[in-house]
């Protein structure tokens, strides 16, 4: 039994302090709402995390920041300046790409610099194809920015009505990303490079729809480096929330939520306290939000294993890098992209020859690490999301570390004096229960996949959700938009619904309805 002294009151409670939860909390606080954020971990950020390896803090989650205007607008609506909380600077070189045949290509924020590099790499025709593709990707982005990304619950019909048939033609929803790329490029390596954008959402370029071409425009419009590491984005958002009166309960797990029409919601915490709130926003995997009520049962939105997005095997390490020149973002491609994705999605195995992403966190446009000294690297290989079916042990982690370092050495990058922490799909499942280790929710495979993604409003009135598994999808700015959309929906619904109407919606009884399950 919870005593009165253990009760905490908020207008809106947010479960989870990932980017979605923080964005929701700041949006609500900026409008004057009383907000409490409950987080099971002792740190904010969710998937935006840092690991300590031999005293070095290594970004071990998202490493690319784009669509800065989303975050600037988030701070601005709360009456704050983002620059007072987070220091960022644009990167000129977007990424360096390596192929097994020894060729390499840099892409840049400047369109003409990239076109010139592609001309030197693959000829004038491919450079013209790149310029055409870039214009097409920008048109698709502009068609989707307001009608899809910022809309809380878009549909194919609403998208068609808002932009007409012309907009649908621009975004090519019924063609695969690979097919769209093939309209512009003949060079196998360039098709592989731009097809890789499907993995940003955990999908395959041969199954993911054409609208994912927008990622090419988003990156070219600006990739930003965060001073102090990516986690500073989460820390800055959290501090802004505190400055606007948000209260954080860190290291507290929500064990149960009760719905009582006379109160709203009551969140029961693992330390015996409870939080009363008129509305709740859940920032976590939707499969963990199970709800049982009098006379009805709401089944969690479980994503079947075969529909999950990709997971990953990652190395967070310090070591001395030799053999090739790295920039901040580097990609070492496999020799056969189609075979790689067939292995991942059809055989559900990690390829023998995986594409590897390497984030060299001590390198940027302005400087390089001291030669011969260890530097911080984050290495990622895509993997099936089978973390709830197969639990990796230390021996398997060591095998994967050796395998990935060997693959890099074969591509010319030798690492020595390595100290490493390995994260497997089962580790991601442990960190984010219910996901199976999937890092992006459901895979974006199929023309209608984006419209099937869960929306911010749930079947339970005044209960909302946010995060990478929720519309508009994965990626830091998309996750932030999900939190913003959830917050706006909550404020709109609370402002237009009286308590008597709420009682009727909830069933006209004061008998609590229990919502159980882990709410990490």
């Amino acid at each position: 039994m919870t005593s009165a002294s253990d009760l905490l009151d908020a207008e809106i409670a947010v479960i989870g302090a990932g980017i979605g939860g923080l964005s929701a909390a700041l949006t609500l606080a900026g409008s004057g709402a009383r907000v409490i954020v409950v987080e099971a971990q002792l740190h904010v950020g969710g998937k935006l995390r840092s690991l300590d390896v031999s005293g070095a803090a290594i970004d071990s989650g998202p490493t690319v920041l784009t669509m800065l205007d989303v975050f600037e607008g988030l701070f601005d609506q709360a009456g704050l300046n983002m620059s007072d909380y987070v220091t960022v600077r644009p990167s000129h070189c977007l990424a360096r790409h390596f192929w097994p045949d020894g060729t390499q290509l840099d892409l840049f924020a400047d369109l003409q610099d990239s076109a010139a590099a592609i001309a030197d790499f693959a000829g004038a025709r491919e450079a013209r194809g790149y310029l055409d593709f870039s214009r097409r990707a920008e048109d698709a982005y502009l068609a989707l920015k307001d009608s899809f990304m910022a809309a809380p619950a878009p549909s194919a019909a609403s998208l068609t009505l808002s932009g007409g048939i012309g907009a649908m033609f621009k975004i090519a929803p019924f063609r695969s990303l690979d097919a769209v790329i093939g309209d512009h490029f003949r060079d196998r390596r360039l098709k592989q490079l731009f097809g890789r954008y499907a993995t940003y959402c955990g999908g395959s370029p041969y199954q993911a729809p054409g609208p994912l071409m927008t990622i090419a425009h988003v990156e070219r419009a600006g990739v930003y480096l965060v001073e102090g590491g990516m986690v500073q984005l989460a820390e800055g958002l959290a501090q802004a929330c505190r400055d606007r009166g948000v209260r954080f309960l860190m290291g507290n797990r929500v064990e149960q939520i009760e719905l009582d029409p006379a109160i709203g919601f009551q969140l029961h915490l693992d330390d015996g306290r409870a939080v009363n709130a008129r509305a709740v926003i859940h920032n976590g995997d939707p499969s963990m939000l199970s709800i049982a009520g009098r006379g009805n049962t709401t089944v969690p939105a479980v994503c079947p294993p075969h529909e999950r997005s990709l997971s990953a095997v990652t190395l967070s390490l310090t070591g001395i890098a030799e053999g090739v020149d790295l920039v901040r973002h580097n990609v070492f491609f496999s020799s056969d992209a189609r075979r790689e994705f067939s292995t991942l999605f059809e055989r559900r195995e990690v390829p023998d020859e995986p594409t590897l992403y390497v984030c060299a966190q001590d390198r940027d446009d302005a400087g390089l690490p001291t030669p011969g000294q260890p530097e911080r690297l984050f290495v990622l290989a895509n993997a099936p999301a089978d973390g709830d079916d197969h639990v990796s042990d230390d021996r398997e982690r060591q095998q994967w570390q050796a395998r990935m370092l060997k693959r890099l050495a074969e591509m010319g990058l030798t690492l020595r004096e390595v100290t490493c922490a390995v994260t497997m799909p089962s580790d991601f499942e442990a960190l984010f229960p219910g996901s199976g280790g999937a890092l992006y929710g459901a895979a974006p495979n199929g023309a209608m996949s984006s419209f099937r993604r869960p929306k911010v409003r749930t079947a339970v009135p005044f209960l909302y959700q946010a995060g990478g598994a929720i519309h508009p999808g994965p990626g830091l700015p998309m996750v932030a938009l999900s939190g913003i959309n959830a917050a706006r929906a909550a404020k709109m619904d609370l402002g237009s619904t009286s308590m008597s109407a709420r009682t009727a919606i909830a069933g006209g009884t004061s008998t609590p309805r229990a919502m159980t399950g882990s709410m990490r």
Side-chain angles (χ1 to χ4, degrees), residues 89 91 93 96 225 319-330 358-377 413-415:
R89 63 184 188 279
S91 178
C93 182
R96 179 163 292 167
L225 308 177
I320 299 173
E322 299 172 333
V324 298
D325 292 328
L326 300 174
V327 292
R328 175 62 67 95
H329 304 292
N330 310 269
V358 178
C359 179
Q361 295 171 26
D362 296 309
R363 300 177 183 244
D364 57 36
D365 298 336
L368 300 172
T370 304
Q373 295 298 311
E375 59 181 295
R376 298 172 299 161
L377 302 173
L413 177 60
T414 301
L415 297 172

Side-chain angles (χ1 to χ4, degrees), residues 320 403-404 486:
I320 299 173
R403 181 176 174 181
M404 293 168 71

Side-chain angles (χ1 to χ4, degrees), residues 399-469:
Q399 289 174 336
W400 272 106
Q401 175 180 331
R403 181 176 174 181
M404 293 168 71
L405 295 181
K406 180 176 182 291
R407 171 73 184 139
L408 289 174
E410 292 170 348
M411 295 284 287
L413 177 60
T414 301
L415 297 172
R416 57 187 181 88
E417 298 184 23
V418 171
T419 303
C420 184
V422 183
T423 306
M424 303 291 292
S426 59
D427 300 316
F428 286 118
E429 158 65 17
L431 287 167
F432 312 111
S435 67
L439 299 177
Y440 316 93
N445 294 337
M448 302 305 292
S449 58
S450 296
F451 299 109
R452 291 195 297 267
R453 191 172 287 272
K455 305 301 189 289
V456 295
R457 284 186 172 92
T458 73
V460 176
F462 309 104
L463 175 67
Y464 310 87
Q465 51 191 349

